[in-house]
Amino acid sequence: MDKFRIRGGKPLKGRVTISGAKNSALPCMAAAILTSEDITLHNLPYVRDIITMRRLLEDIGAHVLTPELRTHKISAAHIELQAAPYDLVKTMRASVLALGPLIARFGKARVSLPGGCAIGARPIDLHLAGLTKMGAEVFLEAGDVIARAPEDGLKGAEISFEKISVTGTENLMMAATLAHGRTVINNAAREPEVKDLAELLNKMGARVRGAGTPTIQIEGVEGLSGAQHTIIPDRIETGTFIVAAAITNGELEIKDCNPEHCNRIIGKLREVGVEIEEVNQSTLHARRGPRGLHAGDLRTEPYPAFPTDMQAQYMALMTQATGHSVITETVFENRYMHASELQRMGARIQVSHDKAIVDGPGKLIGARVQASDLRASASLVLAGLVADGETTIERVYHIDRGYEKIETKLKAVGADIERIRESVTAPLSSARDDAATA
Ligand code: EPZ
């Protein structure tokens, strides 16, 4: 398994370009299952999860062409298998996004129940409850979820989420596009990625209204057609690089981002001393402010609040801020795996239930640390960039799932970081060769 070796202490300076949002690309790729016509997606991030979703689509019979690295042309004209197998779902929970489109178009679906993961149990009960309300028969069989629509197809329904779920909202929105009648989703997720998916669905001929608000209305239609769509920039990668500029006391120009999707991230980071200038609609300028970093409490909540996917990166930053920061994680029940690794680098952090208290500033010393999940890995990279000495981060396949060539982007702005390839994991570049020949 690949590792990163980082020698800290170098302020980052220069320009980074943000890639497409993984969490928009994944549902948009799944949406291709809803039609027999071609769906062409541009600005896909070149990350492992996209490769996994492509494999899932091909395994069920879709054809995926990659005319260029970040463009996929997907044809689901000949889907033979209405199933997402365990070996794919266990590596990527977002495979469950095949469930809604498969049952909507084919009336049946078999999707392996995703196991828990490092950050929590992450059940899909809300997805299944919504499909049941739309008339689907849902039952478990040997670890798989089997969902069957009535003979005459799914019916529109009023669905109220007791808990906000991003992929739950996305799955049901996709299922509702081909249901008979109107579906109303209450307490819907409002993330920009939900809105981006709705824009693609409407380009395909769906009738989705209210995406981005707590109430989404979908009028079912007979069928959907092909479309082209460009994926929105990744707001979490954007936030991660803003933190990278601040934690290294450097200065970064961040291109091809969407500051509008980062309002609470920008607002909170400004509160703790990060200087962020919105240069234009797709460019930010970030650096540590002249008064340095100071502690700030944080509570993660669904969009438009501060995102849970930025909590680990924020924690790394607060290790360098003056004072005590109380972080409260409200979305996932176990999203502090990075804290123990940061402690091994000298950070003073106390974790208790949903709270983590960071006592800063504290010098970080390079160490051998282990990545546990995607965003925890990012926080370890950020800590390594500011730590004295050398940090080795193991199991960086976690970070490859959601950050496109992060070491290349960091090296280009002055970081002393290198990837140490271990022969076991097929390097991403081989997937690039595969993509190039598709
Ligand atoms: C999406 O995951 C993102 N993934 C996650 O990003 C992100 O952290 C999360 O939303 C929250 O913003 C993708 O979009 C592919 P949820 P998702 O359903 O949809 C509970 C990253 O780092 N819940 O919004 O799986 C659940 O356990 C990843 O890029 C149920 O109880 O998250 C969690 O506590 C990590 N039952 C909360 O709701 C359900 O049926 C929010 O989960 C569904 C969810």
Side-chain angles (χ1 to χ4, degrees):
M1 287 179 246
D2 290 5
K3 297 175 185 164
F4 281 159
R5 180 184 296 145
I6 303 173
R7 291 181 189 82
K10 313 260 185 326
L12 303 187
K13 288 198 188 314
R15 172 185 297 177
V16 291
T17 301
I18 298 300
S19 302
K22 161 182 84 81
N23 290 348
S24 174
L26 293 171
C28 287
M29 289 174 76
I33 296 170
L34 289 164
T35 176
S36 59
E37 298 181 16
D38 291 347
I39 296 292
T40 301
L41 299 174
H42 301 284
N43 197 35
L44 291 170
Y46 183 61
V47 297
R48 206 171 280 281
D49 274 8
I50 300 305
I51 295 166
T52 304
M53 182 60 86
R54 174 182 164 173
R55 267 183 50 209
L56 187 158
L57 291 171
E58 290 175 332
D59 282 1
I60 64 175
H63 292 283
V64 183
L65 289 179
T66 311
E68 51 177 87
L69 191 62
R70 296 179 183 85
T71 296
H72 280 20
K73 185 175 176 182
I74 305 167
S75 161
H78 307 291
I79 297 288
E80 289 112 26
L81 189 64
Q82 288 78 29
Y86 178 65
D87 69 334
L88 281 177
V89 176
K90 75 179 177 192
T91 54
M92 184 182 67
R93 172 190 161 71
S95 310
V96 292
L97 284 164
L99 183 59
L102 283 171
I103 190 168
R105 181 157 164 229
F106 301 102
K108 58 181 179 178
R110 176 187 206 89
V111 173
S112 170
L113 256 186
C117 68
I119 63 179
R122 302 184 73 184
I124 58 167
D125 55 314
L126 302 175
H127 302 232
L128 304 180
L131 289 175
T132 306
K133 287 210 80 171
M134 297 173 76
E137 182 200 4
V138 175
F139 56 96
L140 289 188
E141 186 182 276
D144 289 350
V145 169
I146 314 284
R148 287 205 192 99
E151 274 305 302
D152 56 354
L154 294 175
K155 304 224 175 350
E158 173 131 18
I159 297 161
S160 297
F161 276 101
E162 60 197 69
K163 195 171 192 180
I164 290 175
S165 167
V166 174
T167 50
T169 300
E170 291 164 347
N171 238 335
L172 295 174
M173 195 161 71
M174 289 191 281
T177 56
L178 296 177
H180 297 287
R182 168 180 298 181
T183 297
V184 178
I185 301 175
N186 298 312
N187 201 23
R190 299 164 59 186
E191 274 69 2
E193 294 77 25
V194 173
K195 209 168 164 193
D196 203 31
L197 172 63
E199 280 182 24
L200 168 61
L201 294 172
N202 286 338
K203 284 180 186 174
M204 295 166 65
R207 296 170 59 195
V208 181
R209 298 288 173 271
T213 76
T215 304
I216 302 176
Q217 285 194 17
I218 305 105
E219 300 293 344
V221 294
E222 279 306 304
L224 294 176
S225 53
Q228 300 234 14
H229 186 67
T230 298
I231 300 296
I232 56 172
D234 192 314
R235 60 194 169 96
I236 305 301
E237 185 188 21
T238 304
T240 304
F241 277 106
I242 294 173
V243 172
I247 203 169
T248 61
N249 204 9
E251 188 162 354
L252 288 178
E253 184 182 60
I254 300 168
K255 299 285 292 174
D256 293 354
C257 64
N258 184 330
E260 206 182 294
H261 293 161
C262 309
N263 280 337
R264 275 309 295 137
I265 296 171
I266 292 170
K268 172 51 76 176
L269 294 176
R270 280 176 172 156
E271 277 173 29
V272 296
V274 184
E275 208 167 79
I276 304 167
E277 183 198 347
E278 296 181 35
V279 177
N280 57 41
Q281 288 179 335
S282 62
T283 309
L284 287 170
H285 214 257
R287 63 183 191 160
R288 189 184 295 192
R291 291 185 301 113
L293 299 171
H294 44 272
D297 294 348
L298 174 76
R299 183 181 174 81
T300 67
E301 283 176 315
Y303 196 88
F306 190 97
T308 174
D309 291 350
M310 275 296 300
Q311 178 257 105
Q313 300 91 312
Y314 181 82
M315 184 184 287
L317 185 66
M318 288 302 99
T319 68
Q320 303 306 299
T322 303
H324 282 75
S325 304
V326 180
I327 297 172
T328 307
E329 171 58 55
T330 73
V331 178
F332 289 107
E333 67 270 25
N334 183 35
R335 203 170 197 175
Y336 288 133
M337 307 282 278
H338 42 285
S340 50
E341 296 303 296
L342 292 172
Q343 285 163 341
R344 296 185 57 246
M345 297 175 72
R348 295 191 299 277
I349 305 168
Q350 281 176 328
V351 173
S352 169
H353 304 300
D354 63 345
K355 291 209 176 351
I357 302 172
V358 185
D359 172 15
K363 182 178 284 295
L364 297 182
I365 312 295
R368 276 184 65 181
V369 291
Q370 191 151 298
S372 55
D373 61 84
L374 170 53
R375 307 304 172 181
S377 323
S379 89
L380 298 179
V381 169
L382 293 166
L385 291 173
V386 70
D388 280 359
E390 186 171 287
T391 298
T392 302
I393 303 174
E394 299 180 352
R395 302 191 173 184
V396 292
Y397 62 83
H398 286 292
I399 207 162
D400 289 335
R401 294 190 50 179
Y403 286 91
E404 179 175 325
K405 296 187 290 183
I406 193 168
E407 77 274 21
T408 309
K409 293 188 181 183
L410 287 170
K411 207 179 285 185
V413 288
D416 183 346
I417 180 172
E418 59 182 325
R419 180 184 290 261
I420 302 160
R421 284 207 188 287
E422 306 269 305
S423 55
V424 175
T425 316
L428 217 50
S429 54
S430 71
R432 177 203 301 274
D433 303 340
D434 168 53
T437 54

